[in-house]
């Protein structure tokens, strides 16, 4: 995404629509990049204007993660595809314990998409990136014909730096560990579903989309023995815990009544026949910490605005079958299996 | 793209098609990742199975670039969207003078896309990545409903390391510099167009898609004073040179008869009314080097298999208007302007 400095006969018309020339690498594409993308994402690295951004790199290991975003609708209570795509990739780097440093963004636009909507989305990306302190340093834009895409898809890649000595992994959970969640589950997925289904609630469901690296930094600084962190996105809490249980070759037992769940999210799930354990979150943290440090970790999470409603929701135990189970509110016990098949398409 | 190790009732059926569950983060998605993606892209970093890959990083500056690929058709003479997406991002990092280290890949799949075609594409990515010595260390897969995508889109991000003291930029061209190209222009774009238009030639036009970092390393090792490197993709040689001229605030004069152009590409361009100067390349290098080092740079390029047909095609001069001009074969002089509007959609 070169930021080419030239004069244009007219400023970009935000009443217009994306056309194929916006992806062709010529003057029209350059104008879109300069007047819409570069203006919203403005930073010294993007302004270098070369094929690749040259970036200072502190010592440590590199952490890299990528996410494609196809959420529908593009705008939803609490956010849009722009800020979501910033938060998503930042969080994947942050849960490794790394400091996120830089973002790259690839846009696939459908011919006919309103430029005003694109400006709103890119503006939201820029704001989220500034709030997170992680600039979008490289980008690319392609345009496909009407009917070959769906408005806008955004693939973001985040890189960060991981200090020596810190090793978090889904494979490091061990018997005796405590399992924590940083707040209410299912908010993002049900915000999207409520939009799609036209559900109206007294208090509308708002996506939790947020960057978690500040919360994670506070947790790590607390001195608690953190073994694994994850953000439970697609597939929800249940899928994330099954992944960790399988990677670490352990079992888990959750307590249903300890898992934070908003009343309106529970109601929407019931209405739509969905289990909130499988509904996506975009600003929640799962932490597996040494059992003796559970309270210390909980206090660190609760001291941060994004962790106010954090809770200890279960424990890790020896289980050669790597099952995740749950003591239900009535007192029974049930399996929390992997998500089988499709639950919520295009949730992120 | 976690590589989760679990048993599946059946191996993935390559006679099947992509469905929405393949993007849902559950068991079906995990099976696709493990049996198709991880198998083809196999490397120790991807196998970590966490949200972000943890990677060794040599000292130096970080270089980062991203490219979304929407080429149509997905398979073409000389390559496919898989290897193209590897080469494209590697080249954007390599033209900064950096050593490419790692790739991330985000896939957006359309419901109904044949799994056999996906396997072929991912296999081609894996081969290209191995040939280049740049592993795909992170990935993501999303699925959109039939009619909301077009088979497969791939966004790749490359990171590399740039040694201290080396500074290449499109803003460093200066009067007196020589302009070189590493081989024939227009091969990729016309390979795609010949496919789309069903043009048959005695010798079919083959895409030049290739990773350029080996060629670039040899050029830099020659000791020639290299000021700017670019790979002239979308918008072709003309657009790339206009970008450099604008960034560096210089003029350029090309010699048409010096620019390598295959007979069949010239014929196809003539048939379709296209100017080869604006047609995309995916394995060609533009080098702007100190005038005294032109021959040394040319020899270095020609000594590499990807630069056998390299040529000195023009020179940089003082021009407050930053025009790119060309002495035509008949001896006249014409402007080589920016590409205005759309020429070839979905060429990469």
């Amino acid at each position: 995404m070169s930021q080419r400095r030239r004069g244009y006969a007219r400023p970009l018309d935000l009443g217009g629509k994306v056309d194929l020339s916006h992806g062709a690498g010529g003057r029209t594409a350059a104008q879109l990049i300069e007047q819409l993308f570069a203006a919203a994402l403005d930073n010294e690295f993007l302004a270098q204007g070369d094929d690749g951004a040259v970036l200072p790199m502190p010592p440590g290991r590199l952490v890299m993660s990528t996410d494609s975003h196809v959420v529908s609708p593009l705008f939803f209570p609490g956010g849009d595809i722009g800020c979501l795509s910033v938060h998503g990739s930042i969080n994947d780097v942050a849960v490794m314990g790394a400091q996120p440093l830089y973002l790259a963004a690839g846009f696939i636009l459908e011919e006919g998409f309103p430029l005003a909507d694109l400006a709103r989305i890119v503006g939201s990306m820029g704001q989220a990136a500034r709030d997170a302190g992680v600039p979008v340093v490289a980008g690319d834009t392609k345009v496909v014909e009407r009917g070959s895409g769906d408005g806008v898809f955004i693939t973001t890649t985040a890189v960060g730096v991981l200090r020596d000595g810190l090793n978090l992994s889904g494979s490091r959970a061990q018997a005796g560990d405590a399992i924590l969640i940083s707040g209410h589950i299912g908010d993002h997925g049900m915000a999207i579903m409520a939009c799609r289904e036209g559900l109206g609630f007294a208090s509308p469901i708002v996506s939790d989309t947020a960057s978690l690296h500040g919360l994670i930094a506070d947790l790590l600084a607390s001195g608690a023995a953190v073994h694994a962190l994850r953000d439970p996105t697609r597939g929800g809490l249940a899928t994330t815990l099954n992944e960790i249980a399988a990677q670490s070759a352990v079992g888990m037992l959750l307590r249903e009544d300890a898992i934070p769940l908003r009343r309106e999210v529970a109601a929407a799930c019931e209405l739509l026949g969905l289990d909130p354990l499988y509904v996506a979150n975009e600003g929640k943290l799962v932490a597996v910490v040494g059992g003796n440090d559970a309270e210390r970790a909980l206090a660190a999470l609760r001291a941060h605005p994004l962790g106010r409603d954090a809770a200890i929701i279960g424990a890790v135990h020896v289980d050669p079958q790597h099952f995740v189970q749950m003591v239900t509110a009535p007192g029974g016990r049930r399996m929390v299996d992997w998500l089988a098949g499709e639950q919520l398409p295009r949730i992120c």
Side-chain angles (χ1 to χ4, degrees), chain A:
Chain A
M1 189 182 282
S2 311
Q3 188 181 6
R4 297 140 193 156
R5 300 177 193 290
R6 273 165 301 125
Y8 297 99
R10 292 181 297 257
L12 191 69
D13 174 14
L14 286 183
K17 293 182 186 303
V18 170
D19 65 50
L20 289 170
S21 72
H22 286 118
R27 196 188 291 269
T28 319
Q31 185 181 19
L32 182 75
I33 289 166
E34 183 175 322
Q35 296 186 4
L36 195 152
F37 287 102
L41 303 175
D42 188 40
N43 63 74
E44 61 182 306
F45 306 112
L46 195 61
Q48 289 169 358
D50 284 305
D51 283 354
V54 179
L55 308 159
M57 182 72 194
R61 290 160 294 168
L62 188 75
V63 175
M64 185 173 189
S65 191
T66 199
D67 258 316
S68 293
H69 296 85
V70 300
V71 66
S72 174
L74 296 169
F75 301 95
F76 47 82
D80 56 57
I81 192 172
C83 64
L84 182 70
S85 70
V86 167
H87 299 146
S89 284
I90 284 178
N91 290 347
D92 283 343
V93 163
V95 294
M96 303 307 297
Q99 173 66 32
L101 295 173
Y102 307 112
L103 284 165
F107 295 81
I108 298 172
L109 308 177
E110 185 188 9
E111 182 188 14
F113 188 67
L115 285 171
D117 285 352
L118 182 62
R120 191 174 153 205
I121 288 166
V122 179
S124 166
M125 285 190 85
Q127 187 62 50
R130 280 188 297 278
D131 290 347
V134 185
V136 179
V137 299
D140 183 50
T141 306
K142 294 285 170 17
V143 180
V144 297
E145 309 86 338
R146 204 180 294 263
S148 292
D150 191 15
V152 55
F153 302 143
I154 306 177
T155 301
T156 48
T157 306
V159 297
V161 65
L162 180 61
R163 64 176 162 83
D164 290 336
L166 182 59
N167 293 294
L168 306 178
S169 169
S171 63
R172 295 173 67 92
Q174 48 189 268
D177 282 355
I179 304 165
L180 290 83
I181 181 102
S182 64
H184 299 93
I185 65 165
D187 293 1
H188 175 75
M190 293 321 295
I192 299 292
M193 289 307 290
C195 269
R196 283 197 211 152
E197 305 289 331
L199 304 183
F201 292 95
S203 44
I205 302 173
V206 177
S207 168
D208 58 348
T209 183
S211 292
L212 293 169
H213 56 310
L215 178 69
I216 291 169
D218 286 1
L219 173 61
L220 294 174
S222 75
V226 178
H227 295 156
L229 298 175
R230 281 280 166 88
D231 61 325
T233 54
R234 271 185 298 178
L237 180 63
T239 301
T240 294
L241 292 180
N242 270 286
E243 284 175 13
I244 297 173
Q247 271 187 282
S248 297
V250 295
M252 295 179 173
L253 185 63
L254 309 179
R255 286 186 301 113
E256 184 172 27
D257 59 10
I259 299 173
L261 178 63
R262 292 184 203 280
R263 186 192 309 241
E264 60 269 27
V265 172
C269 280
E270 187 144 333
L271 202 62
L272 298 175
L274 297 170
D275 183 338
L277 287 173
Y278 295 89
V279 176
N281 311 274
E282 292 290 344
K284 291 303 179 310
L285 180 69
V286 170
V288 180
V289 307
N292 293 334
D293 287 347
E295 290 298 335
R296 188 199 296 207
L298 182 66
L301 292 176
R302 285 191 172 166
H304 190 282
L306 291 177
R308 270 195 312 258
D309 302 305
I312 300 169
I313 59 170
V316 179
H317 59 256
V318 175
D319 177 357
Q321 296 186 287
H322 319 154
F323 285 153
V324 177
Q325 298 179 72
M326 185 166 74
V327 177
T328 60
R333 188 182 275 221
R334 75 164 170 99
M335 286 293 296
V336 178
D337 201 0
W338 293 83
L339 174 64
E342 171 68 357
Q343 192 186 37
L344 302 176
R346 301 188 58 183
I347 213 73
C348 61

PDB file of all heavy atoms in Angstrom, chain A residues 105-130:
ATOM      1  N   ALA A 105      -2.876  -5.461   6.714  1.00  0.00           N
ATOM      2  CA  ALA A 105      -4.289  -5.679   6.393  1.00  0.00           C
ATOM      3  C   ALA A 105      -4.474  -5.837   4.890  1.00  0.00           C
ATOM      4  O   ALA A 105      -4.027  -4.988   4.110  1.00  0.00           O
ATOM      5  CB  ALA A 105      -5.130  -4.507   6.899  1.00  0.00           C
ATOM      6  N   GLY A 106      -5.130  -6.926   4.483  1.00  0.00           N
ATOM      7  CA  GLY A 106      -5.462  -7.155   3.084  1.00  0.00           C
ATOM      8  C   GLY A 106      -6.969  -7.063   2.895  1.00  0.00           C
ATOM      9  O   GLY A 106      -7.720  -7.755   3.584  1.00  0.00           O
ATOM     10  N   PHE A 107      -7.404  -6.194   1.982  1.00  0.00           N
ATOM     11  CA  PHE A 107      -8.833  -5.954   1.743  1.00  0.00           C
ATOM     12  C   PHE A 107      -9.253  -6.601   0.431  1.00  0.00           C
ATOM     13  O   PHE A 107      -8.593  -6.406  -0.591  1.00  0.00           O
ATOM     14  CB  PHE A 107      -9.119  -4.458   1.641  1.00  0.00           C
ATOM     15  CG  PHE A 107      -8.869  -3.700   2.912  1.00  0.00           C
ATOM     16  CD1 PHE A 107      -7.583  -3.301   3.265  1.00  0.00           C
ATOM     17  CD2 PHE A 107      -9.910  -3.392   3.774  1.00  0.00           C
ATOM     18  CE1 PHE A 107      -7.343  -2.608   4.445  1.00  0.00           C
ATOM     19  CE2 PHE A 107      -9.683  -2.695   4.948  1.00  0.00           C
ATOM     20  CZ  PHE A 107      -8.392  -2.302   5.289  1.00  0.00           C
ATOM     21  N   ILE A 108     -10.358  -7.342   0.461  1.00  0.00           N
ATOM     22  CA  ILE A 108     -10.980  -7.828  -0.769  1.00  0.00           C
ATOM     23  C   ILE A 108     -12.354  -7.183  -0.850  1.00  0.00           C
ATOM     24  O   ILE A 108     -13.237  -7.457  -0.033  1.00  0.00           O
ATOM     25  CB  ILE A 108     -11.065  -9.366  -0.779  1.00  0.00           C
ATOM     26  CG1 ILE A 108      -9.645  -9.955  -0.736  1.00  0.00           C
ATOM     27  CG2 ILE A 108     -11.815  -9.854  -2.025  1.00  0.00           C
ATOM     28  CD1 ILE A 108      -9.611 -11.460  -0.557  1.00  0.00           C
ATOM     29  N   LEU A 109     -12.487  -6.259  -1.806  1.00  0.00           N
ATOM     30  CA  LEU A 109     -13.705  -5.453  -1.927  1.00  0.00           C
ATOM     31  C   LEU A 109     -14.545  -5.968  -3.087  1.00  0.00           C
ATOM     32  O   LEU A 109     -14.018  -6.391  -4.112  1.00  0.00           O
ATOM     33  CB  LEU A 109     -13.335  -3.988  -2.194  1.00  0.00           C
ATOM     34  CG  LEU A 109     -12.326  -3.353  -1.222  1.00  0.00           C
ATOM     35  CD1 LEU A 109     -12.014  -1.924  -1.664  1.00  0.00           C
ATOM     36  CD2 LEU A 109     -12.870  -3.380   0.203  1.00  0.00           C
ATOM     37  N   GLU A 110     -15.862  -5.883  -2.916  1.00  0.00           N
ATOM     38  CA  GLU A 110     -16.771  -6.240  -3.997  1.00  0.00           C
ATOM     39  C   GLU A 110     -17.140  -4.973  -4.761  1.00  0.00           C
ATOM     40  O   GLU A 110     -17.454  -3.935  -4.154  1.00  0.00           O
ATOM     41  CB  GLU A 110     -18.035  -6.885  -3.422  1.00  0.00           C
ATOM     42  CG  GLU A 110     -18.990  -7.405  -4.494  1.00  0.00           C
ATOM     43  CD  GLU A 110     -20.330  -7.856  -3.919  1.00  0.00           C
ATOM     44  OE1 GLU A 110     -20.574  -7.601  -2.721  1.00  0.00           O
ATOM     45  OE2 GLU A 110     -21.131  -8.441  -4.664  1.00  0.00           O
ATOM     46  N   GLU A 111     -17.067  -5.075  -6.060  1.00  0.00           N
ATOM     47  CA  GLU A 111     -17.492  -3.987  -6.931  1.00  0.00           C
ATOM     48  C   GLU A 111     -18.874  -3.490  -6.493  1.00  0.00           C
ATOM     49  O   GLU A 111     -19.762  -4.293  -6.224  1.00  0.00           O
ATOM     50  CB  GLU A 111     -17.538  -4.517  -8.367  1.00  0.00           C
ATOM     51  CG  GLU A 111     -17.923  -3.526  -9.432  1.00  0.00           C
ATOM     52  CD  GLU A 111     -18.136  -4.219 -10.789  1.00  0.00           C
ATOM     53  OE1 GLU A 111     -18.238  -5.468 -10.834  1.00  0.00           O
ATOM     54  OE2 GLU A 111     -18.214  -3.505 -11.784  1.00  0.00           O
ATOM     55  N   GLY A 112     -19.045  -2.196  -6.393  1.00  0.00           N
ATOM     56  CA  GLY A 112     -20.339  -1.636  -6.012  1.00  0.00           C
ATOM     57  C   GLY A 112     -20.462  -1.327  -4.529  1.00  0.00           C
ATOM     58  O   GLY A 112     -21.453  -0.720  -4.103  1.00  0.00           O
ATOM     59  N   PHE A 113     -19.473  -1.711  -3.733  1.00  0.00           N
ATOM     60  CA  PHE A 113     -19.543  -1.437  -2.294  1.00  0.00           C
ATOM     61  C   PHE A 113     -19.409   0.068  -2.066  1.00  0.00           C
ATOM     62  O   PHE A 113     -18.549   0.721  -2.639  1.00  0.00           O
ATOM     63  CB  PHE A 113     -18.422  -2.193  -1.570  1.00  0.00           C
ATOM     64  CG  PHE A 113     -18.531  -2.135  -0.070  1.00  0.00           C
ATOM     65  CD1 PHE A 113     -19.574  -2.764   0.591  1.00  0.00           C
ATOM     66  CD2 PHE A 113     -17.612  -1.429   0.687  1.00  0.00           C
ATOM     67  CE1 PHE A 113     -19.687  -2.705   1.975  1.00  0.00           C
ATOM     68  CE2 PHE A 113     -17.709  -1.361   2.070  1.00  0.00           C
ATOM     69  CZ  PHE A 113     -18.752  -1.996   2.717  1.00  0.00           C
ATOM     70  N   PRO A 114     -20.279   0.641  -1.214  1.00  0.00           N
ATOM     71  CA  PRO A 114     -20.240   2.104  -1.031  1.00  0.00           C
ATOM     72  C   PRO A 114     -18.920   2.565  -0.400  1.00  0.00           C
ATOM     73  O   PRO A 114     -18.485   2.030   0.620  1.00  0.00           O
ATOM     74  CB  PRO A 114     -21.410   2.366  -0.070  1.00  0.00           C
ATOM     75  CG  PRO A 114     -22.298   1.170  -0.184  1.00  0.00           C
ATOM     76  CD  PRO A 114     -21.389   0.012  -0.483  1.00  0.00           C
ATOM     77  N   LEU A 115     -18.303   3.570  -1.012  1.00  0.00           N
ATOM     78  CA  LEU A 115     -17.040   4.096  -0.482  1.00  0.00           C
ATOM     79  C   LEU A 115     -17.236   4.698   0.907  1.00  0.00           C
ATOM     80  O   LEU A 115     -16.318   4.674   1.729  1.00  0.00           O
ATOM     81  CB  LEU A 115     -16.456   5.141  -1.443  1.00  0.00           C
ATOM     82  CG  LEU A 115     -15.818   4.554  -2.708  1.00  0.00           C
ATOM     83  CD1 LEU A 115     -15.463   5.672  -3.695  1.00  0.00           C
ATOM     84  CD2 LEU A 115     -14.573   3.741  -2.366  1.00  0.00           C
ATOM     85  N   ALA A 116     -18.430   5.219   1.180  1.00  0.00           N
ATOM     86  CA  ALA A 116     -18.684   5.786   2.514  1.00  0.00           C
ATOM     87  C   ALA A 116     -18.622   4.699   3.586  1.00  0.00           C
ATOM     88  O   ALA A 116     -18.082   4.919   4.675  1.00  0.00           O
ATOM     89  CB  ALA A 116     -20.049   6.486   2.536  1.00  0.00           C
ATOM     90  N   ASP A 117     -19.156   3.516   3.276  1.00  0.00           N
ATOM     91  CA  ASP A 117     -19.072   2.402   4.229  1.00  0.00           C
ATOM     92  C   ASP A 117     -17.626   1.957   4.401  1.00  0.00           C
ATOM     93  O   ASP A 117     -17.186   1.631   5.511  1.00  0.00           O
ATOM     94  CB  ASP A 117     -19.929   1.218   3.756  1.00  0.00           C
ATOM     95  CG  ASP A 117     -21.419   1.456   3.963  1.00  0.00           C
ATOM     96  OD1 ASP A 117     -21.771   2.468   4.599  1.00  0.00           O
ATOM     97  OD2 ASP A 117     -22.223   0.638   3.475  1.00  0.00           O
ATOM     98  N   LEU A 118     -16.898   1.937   3.294  1.00  0.00           N
ATOM     99  CA  LEU A 118     -15.482   1.548   3.378  1.00  0.00           C
ATOM    100  C   LEU A 118     -14.714   2.544   4.250  1.00  0.00           C
ATOM    101  O   LEU A 118     -13.894   2.142   5.094  1.00  0.00           O
ATOM    102  CB  LEU A 118     -14.869   1.472   1.972  1.00  0.00           C
ATOM    103  CG  LEU A 118     -13.413   1.036   1.924  1.00  0.00           C
ATOM    104  CD1 LEU A 118     -13.234  -0.376   2.493  1.00  0.00           C
ATOM    105  CD2 LEU A 118     -12.871   1.095   0.488  1.00  0.00           C
ATOM    106  N   ALA A 119     -15.005   3.820   4.078  1.00  0.00           N
ATOM    107  CA  ALA A 119     -14.328   4.847   4.882  1.00  0.00           C
ATOM    108  C   ALA A 119     -14.649   4.663   6.364  1.00  0.00           C
ATOM    109  O   ALA A 119     -13.779   4.827   7.230  1.00  0.00           O
ATOM    110  CB  ALA A 119     -14.739   6.240   4.403  1.00  0.00           C
ATOM    111  N   ARG A 120     -15.893   4.314   6.654  1.00  0.00           N
ATOM    112  CA  ARG A 120     -16.293   4.100   8.048  1.00  0.00           C
ATOM    113  C   ARG A 120     -15.546   2.897   8.644  1.00  0.00           C
ATOM    114  O   ARG A 120     -15.072   2.950   9.789  1.00  0.00           O
ATOM    115  CB  ARG A 120     -17.813   3.868   8.070  1.00  0.00           C
ATOM    116  CG  ARG A 120     -18.439   3.887   9.430  1.00  0.00           C
ATOM    117  CD  ARG A 120     -19.967   3.805   9.301  1.00  0.00           C
ATOM    118  NE  ARG A 120     -20.531   3.200  10.488  1.00  0.00           N
ATOM    119  CZ  ARG A 120     -21.690   2.557  10.547  1.00  0.00           C
ATOM    120  NH1 ARG A 120     -22.449   2.462   9.453  1.00  0.00           N
ATOM    121  NH2 ARG A 120     -22.118   2.032  11.678  1.00  0.00           N
ATOM    122  N   ILE A 121     -15.428   1.838   7.858  1.00  0.00           N
ATOM    123  CA  ILE A 121     -14.740   0.625   8.316  1.00  0.00           C
ATOM    124  C   ILE A 121     -13.252   0.888   8.531  1.00  0.00           C
ATOM    125  O   ILE A 121     -12.679   0.495   9.554  1.00  0.00           O
ATOM    126  CB  ILE A 121     -14.958  -0.512   7.283  1.00  0.00           C
ATOM    127  CG1 ILE A 121     -16.402  -1.006   7.360  1.00  0.00           C
ATOM    128  CG2 ILE A 121     -13.969  -1.653   7.492  1.00  0.00           C
ATOM    129  CD1 ILE A 121     -16.834  -1.875   6.191  1.00  0.00           C
ATOM    130  N   VAL A 122     -12.638   1.565   7.578  1.00  0.00           N
ATOM    131  CA  VAL A 122     -11.195   1.819   7.697  1.00  0.00           C
ATOM    132  C   VAL A 122     -10.940   2.821   8.824  1.00  0.00           C
ATOM    133  O   VAL A 122      -9.946   2.720   9.550  1.00  0.00           O
ATOM    134  CB  VAL A 122     -10.611   2.296   6.351  1.00  0.00           C
ATOM    135  CG1 VAL A 122      -9.123   2.586   6.474  1.00  0.00           C
ATOM    136  CG2 VAL A 122     -10.837   1.238   5.277  1.00  0.00           C
ATOM    137  N   GLY A 123     -11.859   3.760   9.010  1.00  0.00           N
ATOM    138  CA  GLY A 123     -11.750   4.676  10.140  1.00  0.00           C
ATOM    139  C   GLY A 123     -11.802   3.943  11.468  1.00  0.00           C
ATOM    140  O   GLY A 123     -11.046   4.246  12.405  1.00  0.00           O
ATOM    141  N   SER A 124     -12.676   2.962  11.549  1.00  0.00           N
ATOM    142  CA  SER A 124     -12.794   2.157  12.765  1.00  0.00           C
ATOM    143  C   SER A 124     -11.538   1.329  13.005  1.00  0.00           C
ATOM    144  O   SER A 124     -11.077   1.170  14.150  1.00  0.00           O
ATOM    145  CB  SER A 124     -14.027   1.257  12.624  1.00  0.00           C
ATOM    146  OG  SER A 124     -14.046   0.248  13.592  1.00  0.00           O
ATOM    147  N   MET A 125     -10.949   0.826  11.929  1.00  0.00           N
ATOM    148  CA  MET A 125      -9.659   0.115  12.046  1.00  0.00           C
ATOM    149  C   MET A 125      -8.589   1.034  12.602  1.00  0.00           C
ATOM    150  O   MET A 125      -7.814   0.653  13.488  1.00  0.00           O
ATOM    151  CB  MET A 125      -9.158  -0.340  10.670  1.00  0.00           C
ATOM    152  CG  MET A 125      -9.837  -1.503  10.074  1.00  0.00           C
ATOM    153  SD  MET A 125      -8.917  -2.080   8.595  1.00  0.00           S
ATOM    154  CE  MET A 125      -7.700  -3.137   9.377  1.00  0.00           C
ATOM    155  N   GLY A 126      -8.532   2.235  12.020  1.00  0.00           N
ATOM    156  CA  GLY A 126      -7.506   3.193  12.445  1.00  0.00           C
ATOM    157  C   GLY A 126      -7.651   3.534  13.921  1.00  0.00           C
ATOM    158  O   GLY A 126      -6.661   3.589  14.661  1.00  0.00           O
ATOM    159  N   GLN A 127      -8.893   3.743  14.349  1.00  0.00           N
ATOM    160  CA  GLN A 127      -9.141   4.074  15.756  1.00  0.00           C
ATOM    161  C   GLN A 127      -8.736   2.911  16.665  1.00  0.00           C
ATOM    162  O   GLN A 127      -8.073   3.107  17.690  1.00  0.00           O
ATOM    163  CB  GLN A 127     -10.619   4.417  15.948  1.00  0.00           C
ATOM    164  CG  GLN A 127     -10.959   4.940  17.330  1.00  0.00           C
ATOM    165  CD  GLN A 127     -10.215   6.242  17.627  1.00  0.00           C
ATOM    166  OE1 GLN A 127     -10.227   7.175  16.819  1.00  0.00           O
ATOM    167  NE2 GLN A 127      -9.539   6.302  18.769  1.00  0.00           N
ATOM    168  N   ALA A 128      -9.129   1.699  16.281  1.00  0.00           N
ATOM    169  CA  ALA A 128      -8.786   0.519  17.086  1.00  0.00           C
ATOM    170  C   ALA A 128      -7.271   0.330  17.149  1.00  0.00           C
ATOM    171  O   ALA A 128      -6.718  -0.023  18.197  1.00  0.00           O
ATOM    172  CB  ALA A 128      -9.452  -0.729  16.503  1.00  0.00           C
ATOM    173  N   ALA A 129      -6.600   0.568  16.023  1.00  0.00           N
ATOM    174  CA  ALA A 129      -5.141   0.402  15.981  1.00  0.00           C
ATOM    175  C   ALA A 129      -4.464   1.450  16.868  1.00  0.00           C
ATOM    176  O   ALA A 129      -3.516   1.142  17.596  1.00  0.00           O
ATOM    177  CB  ALA A 129      -4.640   0.505  14.540  1.00  0.00           C
ATOM    178  N   ARG A 130      -4.955   2.687  16.817  1.00  0.00           N
ATOM    179  CA  ARG A 130      -4.381   3.741  17.677  1.00  0.00           C
ATOM    180  C   ARG A 130      -4.648   3.428  19.147  1.00  0.00           C
ATOM    181  O   ARG A 130      -3.762   3.555  19.986  1.00  0.00           O
ATOM    182  CB  ARG A 130      -4.954   5.112  17.306  1.00  0.00           C
ATOM    183  CG  ARG A 130      -4.295   5.738  16.084  1.00  0.00           C
ATOM    184  CD  ARG A 130      -4.761   7.181  15.882  1.00  0.00           C
ATOM    185  NE  ARG A 130      -6.196   7.265  15.610  1.00  0.00           N
ATOM    186  CZ  ARG A 130      -6.747   7.072  14.414  1.00  0.00           C
ATOM    187  NH1 ARG A 130      -5.996   6.789  13.368  1.00  0.00           N
ATOM    188  NH2 ARG A 130      -8.051   7.158  14.256  1.00  0.00           N
TER     189      ARG A 130
END
